[in-house]
């Protein structure tokens, strides 16, 4: 066996991965190169790599990823997002907090459509941030709110993150979707609790005219609400179609991704008549690009995971983790801290493929419900989307607002604190995640 400084190839692989990340190599290639090095050090031929990659990405459940991404892209480009925002502005825009409340609700609602944090920021961020500014909110604060709300897209079902977790953990994706509903809503409530800390120039009514077209000016509230509801009805039905079909057993979560895509095309072509060949091409191109990034990580992570298994790193590291304490809460705290730190430097998909082979045996050994742990993991990784230095949602929001990443990060601080409190609550009360699962007999 090849030996360097007394370290086994598996440990060398882990070190090499972080070194390659530190010098700026893309995550997927850092995974692949470190794994190939370890395979060579162990003595396996590289011809095995092709079979491992093919096996890793040929899982049926992973088909949900590109189609959910495409569905979210289509719903943004076809005007569905704008109609949803208009409806919620009319419904709740006059409550204390104004567009801050609207922004939080729309982000959570859009999470039930998109399932991707960065995609949500790109799709609805420009409209929400502009409307919040016109309502008196500081631009950086508005960007922080949208970044945080969109981050919880990976918690609110249907979630791409939960699909990947279900594949890795061999856990029912439908049960994960059901379990994530209440925690996802709860995390939205924690965001609302942070709204009083916003810096505002004074609430005006300019937000009522922030989007084009204006939401039915001159009409009484109930008339405006009726018009907004009728105009956005088919878009508002999207989560009901997707989640209703899954929970009723009409189709599986994987099939739901294709249903969501077809639904978006039908709504755009028949209901709103906004579907064009150019728009369809752009949505397909955006979805293909985003899907390729995710699936490339999945492909190379299969090599990395194979080395982890062959070298028994799972047994070594999980044993070390179990040996830290006899108290389950202490081990859970260590896991959460590791995930929070990892989320500062890596995307959610990479963190799952690196950490879950080590964490899942500990979860089973301690008798924790893997469905609850999956939801907790998603909340943790959602927070990672708004924590520098990687914090990809912050980068997307900075690009949208033309602010620096530091300004957007400062605007997100109140929501980051509220999210950490919410994470502690979700971790302390597993029944929050499991209530609906048990109620529905899942």
């Amino acid at each position: 066996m090849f030996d360097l400084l007394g370290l086994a190839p598996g440990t060398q692989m882990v070190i090499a991965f972080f070194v390659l990340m530190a010098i700026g190599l893309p995550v997927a290639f850092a995974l692949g190169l470190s794994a190939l090095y370890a395979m060579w050090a162990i003595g396996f031929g590289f011809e095995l790599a092709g079979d491992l990659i093919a096996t890793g990405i040929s899982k049926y459940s992973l088909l949900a990823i590109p189609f959910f991404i495409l569905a979210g892209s289509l719903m943004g480009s076809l005007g569905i997002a704008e109609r949803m925002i208009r409806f919620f502005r009319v419904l709740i825009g006059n409550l204390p907090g104004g567009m801050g409340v609207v922004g939080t609700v729309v982000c959570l609602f859009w999470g039930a459509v998109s399932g991707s944090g960065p995609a949500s920021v790109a799709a609805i961020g420009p409209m929400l941030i502009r409307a919040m500014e016109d309502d008196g909110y500081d631009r950086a604060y508005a960007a922080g709110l949208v970044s945080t709300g969109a981050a919880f897209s990976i918690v609110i079902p249907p979630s791409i993150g939960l699909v990947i977790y279900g594949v890795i953990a061999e856990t029912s994706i439908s049960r994960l979707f059901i379990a994530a509903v209440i925690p996802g809503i709860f995390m939205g409530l924690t965001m609302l609790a942070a709204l009083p800390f916003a810096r505002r120039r004074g609430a005006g009514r300019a937000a009522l005219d922030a989007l084009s077209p204006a939401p039915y000016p001159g009409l009484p509230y109930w008339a405006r609400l009726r018009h907004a509801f009728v105009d956005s009805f088919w878009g508002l039905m999207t989560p009901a179609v997707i989640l209703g079909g899954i929970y009723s057993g009409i189709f599986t979560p994987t099939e739901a991704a294709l249903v969501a895509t077809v639904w978006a095309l039908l709504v755009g072509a028949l209901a709103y008549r906004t579907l064009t060949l150019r728009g369809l091409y752009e949505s397909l191109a955006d979805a293909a690009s985003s899907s390729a990034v995710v699936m490339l990580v999945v492909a190379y992570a299969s090599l990395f995971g194979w080395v982890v298994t062959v070298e028994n790193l799972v047994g070594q590291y999980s044993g070390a983790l179990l040996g830290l304490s006899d108290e389950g809460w202490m081990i859970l705290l260590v896991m959460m801290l590791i995930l929070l730190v990892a989320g500062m430097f890596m995307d959610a998909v990479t963190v799952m493929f690196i950490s879950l082979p080590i964490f899942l045996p500990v979860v089973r050994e301690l008798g924790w419900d893997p469905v609850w742990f999956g939801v907790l993991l998603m909340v943790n990784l959602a927070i990672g989307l708004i924590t520098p230095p990687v914090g990809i949602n912050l980068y997307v929001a900075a690009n949208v607002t033309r602010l620096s990443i530091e300004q957007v990060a400062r605007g997100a601080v109140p929501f980051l604190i509220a999210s950490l409190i919410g994470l502690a609550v979700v971790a302390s009360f597993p029944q929050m995640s499991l209530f609906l699962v048990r109620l529905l007999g899942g």
Side-chain angles (χ1 to χ4, degrees), residues 345-368:
F345 300 95
M346 293 180 283
D347 64 278
V349 176
T350 304
V351 173
M352 280 192 284
F353 277 104
I354 297 296
S355 65
L356 286 179
I358 298 169
F359 287 172
L360 287 173
V362 177
V363 170
R364 298 185 182 101
E365 179 69 24
L366 294 175
W368 296 339

Side-chain angles (χ1 to χ4, degrees), residues 38-417:
M39 292 176 66
W40 168 74
I42 294 171
F44 284 90
F46 289 157
E47 62 273 10
L48 183 62
D51 291 336
L52 291 173
I53 289 175
T55 301
I57 63 176
S58 62
K59 296 180 176 65
Y60 173 72
S61 299
L62 292 176
L63 286 173
I65 295 175
F67 283 110
F68 272 135
I69 292 175
L70 176 58
S73 178
L74 286 169
M75 290 176 189
S77 65
L78 295 177
I80 297 174
E82 184 173 344
R83 286 173 168 82
M84 288 182 181
I85 293 172
R86 191 177 303 130
F87 169 73
F88 285 114
R89 285 173 60 210
V90 174
L91 178 65
I92 58 179
N94 290 327
L95 291 177
M99 286 304 303
V101 179
V102 174
T104 302
V105 172
V106 169
C107 283
L108 295 179
F109 196 87
W110 191 252
V113 173
S114 169
S116 169
S120 295
V121 178
I124 63 178
M127 291 175 282
L128 285 178
I129 293 170
R130 185 171 70 247
M132 287 184 67
E133 274 194 280
D134 290 339
D135 198 27
Y137 282 93
D138 177 80
R139 179 182 293 185
Y141 189 91
L145 181 145
V146 172
S147 297
T148 307
F152 291 116
S153 293
I154 70 171
V155 180
I156 301 290
S159 158
I160 293 172
L162 287 174
V163 171
I164 294 175
Y165 174 84
V167 171
I168 297 174
E170 298 180 350
T171 301
S172 167
I173 297 174
S174 296
R175 295 181 77 234
L176 288 167
F177 282 1
I178 296 172
V181 172
I182 294 178
I185 294 173
F186 174 75
M187 296 307 295
L189 294 177
T190 65
M191 288 181 58
L192 292 178
L195 286 179
F197 299 96
R199 289 180 296 166
R200 302 183 67 182
R201 301 185 301 273
R205 293 186 60 82
L208 293 178
D209 302 311
L211 295 179
S212 179
Y216 323 107
L219 296 177
Y221 173 77
W222 290 109
R224 287 189 293 118
L225 183 62
R226 184 179 68 254
H227 282 293
F229 177 76
V230 171
D231 190 40
S232 61
F233 174 78
W234 296 109
L236 294 173
M237 284 294 292
T238 304
V241 170
I242 298 172
L243 301 179
I246 294 173
Y247 301 153
S248 64
I250 297 176
F251 42 75
T252 67
T254 304
E255 294 164 345
L258 182 57
V259 170
T261 301
V262 173
W263 176 263
L265 290 170
L266 290 176
V267 170
L270 302 180
Y272 299 149
R273 300 184 184 279
T274 52
L275 180 64
T276 63
L277 287 177
R278 179 179 179 83
L280 178 60
Y281 172 79
E282 291 176 351
S283 294
L284 287 169
D286 289 342
S289 176
S290 300
S291 300
V293 172
V294 176
M295 296 308 294
L296 195 60
V297 173
V298 173
Y300 287 132
S302 62
L303 293 181
F304 199 95
W306 181 84
V307 176
V308 167
T309 302
V310 169
E311 286 287 282
N312 194 32
L313 294 185
V314 172
Q316 297 175 35
Y317 294 165
S318 62
L321 193 57
L322 286 169
L324 289 175
S325 173
D326 293 330
E327 298 291 338
W329 68 269
M330 180 61 72
I331 295 175
L332 181 62
L333 178 61
V334 172
M335 286 182 175
M336 295 298 100
L337 290 174
I338 292 173
L339 290 170
L340 284 173
V341 173
M344 295 180 183
F345 300 95
M346 293 180 283
D347 64 278
V349 176
T350 304
V351 173
M352 280 192 284
F353 277 104
I354 297 296
S355 65
L356 286 179
I358 298 169
F359 287 172
L360 287 173
V362 177
V363 170
R364 298 185 182 101
E365 179 69 24
L366 294 175
W368 296 339
D369 193 304
V371 171
W372 161 74
F373 184 77
V375 174
L376 182 61
L377 175 76
M378 286 305 113
V379 174
N380 207 308
L381 295 178
I383 295 174
L385 292 173
I386 56 169
T387 50
V390 174
I392 189 170
N393 278 20
L394 301 181
Y395 281 96
V396 177
N399 182 63
V400 166
T401 58
R402 299 295 187 266
L403 296 172
S404 69
I405 184 66
E406 292 80 9
Q407 290 174 302
V408 178
R410 283 196 295 271
V413 166
F415 302 108
L416 176 60
I417 295 172

